[in-house]
């Protein structure tokens, strides 16, 4: 038996595991209590194969939503673990702004399950980067933490430095579609000397939340122009409706 396993009961005595949703006691660390589990809206099929928008009825294999047909994204497919509301939204906020990095393994595990079909085809896992100024203020990139864990679970190459955020943009919250696109013009670039790693490879781009898709579409377009064979997107959560 490993020393860590031997000491685990002692650690649980002094620091009993708690639910990350309500902070109530749970049987083991890294899990949710039954009440919080029921508060998560996991995304399951049937859904749009491009935008991961849940369908009320099953339209058959490969069904695509009107939103995806009206405005095809720069990426190939999106997968997300949960709908961005209630506890799903709170977990993202806790990870991003509350220094709850302990939530990353749990969230990344759900992401790996939701994106299993994308991971099976991906060759590189790349996180959506933060500008160095925001990274300095926030101290860590939550998307990079999630991407690293997803890549490790799938046995894929993790490449956090391929894509750079070269322009400091204002927060996207509250901006309309056109304003979001203007805000992100020229925001991303392939890092110097890294283009050869992209050419002909299938890339899985990882972010924490999908709202309108402007951020991941901008990043995906840069990767595609650099020669990526394909770019798919995996996030922890997505809003319930396209364009929300």
């Amino acid at each position: 038996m490993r020393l860590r396993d031997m000491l685990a009961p002692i650690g649980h005595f002094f620091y009993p595991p708690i639910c990350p949703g309500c902070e109530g006691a749970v049987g083991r660390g890294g899990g949710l209590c039954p009440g919080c589990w029921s508060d998560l809206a996991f995304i399951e099929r049937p859904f749009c194969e491009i935008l991961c928008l849940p369908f009320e009825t099953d339209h058959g294999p490969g069904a695509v939503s009107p939103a995806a047909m009206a405005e095809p994204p720069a990426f190939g497919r999106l997968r997300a673990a949960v709908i961005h509301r209630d506890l799903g939204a709170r977990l993202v906020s806790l990870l991003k702004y509350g220094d709850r990095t302990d939530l990353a393994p749990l969230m990344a595990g759900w992401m790996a399950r939701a994106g299993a079909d994308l991971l099976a085809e991906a060759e590189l896992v790349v996180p959506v980067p933060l500008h160095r100024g925001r990274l300095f203020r926030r101290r860590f990139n939550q998307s990079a933490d999630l991407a690293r864990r997803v890549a490790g679970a799938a046995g894929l190459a993790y490449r956090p430095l391929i894509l750079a955020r070269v322009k400091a943009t204002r927060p996207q919250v509250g901006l309309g579609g056109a304003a979001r696109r203007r805000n992100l013009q020229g925001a991303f670039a392939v890092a110097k000397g890294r283009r050869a790693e992209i050419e002909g490879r299938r890339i899985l781009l990882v972010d924490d939340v999908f709202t309108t898709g402007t951020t991941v579409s901008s990043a995906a377009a840069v990767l595609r122009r650099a020669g990526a064979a394909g770019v798919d997107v995996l996030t922890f959560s997505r809003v319930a409706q396209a364009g929300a």
Side-chain angles (χ1 to χ4, degrees):
M1 179 181 291
R2 292 179 299 177
L3 180 61
R4 183 178 64 182
D5 296 329
M6 295 173 61
L7 295 177
I10 300 175
H12 287 174
F13 177 80
F14 289 103
Y15 303 100
I18 61 173
C19 171
C22 65
E23 299 187 353
V26 292
R28 61 182 180 85
L32 296 174
C33 70
C36 286
W37 181 264
S38 64
D39 196 31
L40 277 174
F42 285 95
I43 299 176
E44 305 286 352
R45 284 189 168 83
F47 54 67
C48 169
E49 288 298 317
I50 294 178
L51 292 178
C52 201
L53 277 168
F55 289 139
E56 292 185 2
T57 58
D58 193 346
H59 300 284
V64 176
S65 64
M69 291 187 284
E71 191 172 351
F75 54 84
R77 295 164 295 173
L78 166 74
R79 296 292 181 266
V82 303
I83 295 295
H84 190 71
R85 68 178 184 226
D86 303 328
L87 180 57
R90 183 163 178 258
L91 291 175
V92 170
S93 181
L94 286 170
L95 176 64
K96 184 183 292 190
Y97 305 116
D99 291 331
R100 291 293 306 274
T101 55
D102 58 296
L103 297 176
L106 183 68
M107 296 165 69
W110 292 334
M111 291 169 66
R113 172 182 172 273
D117 56 340
L118 307 187
L119 287 163
E121 298 179 14
E123 297 173 88
L124 302 176
V125 177
V126 176
V128 171
L130 290 177
H131 185 266
R132 60 181 180 274
R134 186 168 296 173
L135 181 60
F136 177 78
R137 293 190 297 273
R138 193 178 291 173
R139 301 191 303 277
F140 86 110
N141 179 358
Q142 75 283 349
S143 297
D145 199 3
L146 294 170
R148 175 174 60 84
R149 296 174 187 278
V150 166
L156 293 172
Y158 169 58
R159 295 292 183 268
L161 302 180
I162 280 179
L163 191 64
R165 198 157 189 155
V166 296
K167 173 185 169 185
T169 57
R170 60 177 291 192
Q172 295 278 80
V173 177
L175 298 180
R180 284 172 175 258
R181 289 188 289 272
R182 288 195 300 271
N183 189 40
L184 286 168
Q185 283 182 350
F188 299 105
V190 172
K192 186 176 181 180
R194 308 301 291 262
R195 184 177 291 265
E197 299 176 57
I198 296 172
E199 293 178 347
R201 314 292 290 278
R202 292 197 61 87
I203 294 176
L204 182 65
L205 186 65
V206 174
D207 205 0
D208 54 350
V209 183
F210 182 96
T211 50
T212 65
T214 309
T215 298
V216 290
S217 287
S218 297
V222 169
L223 292 169
R224 289 178 58 189
R225 287 195 295 268
V231 180
D232 291 318
V233 175
L234 177 62
T235 68
F236 172 71
S237 64
R238 71 147 298 145
V239 296
Q241 296 181 354

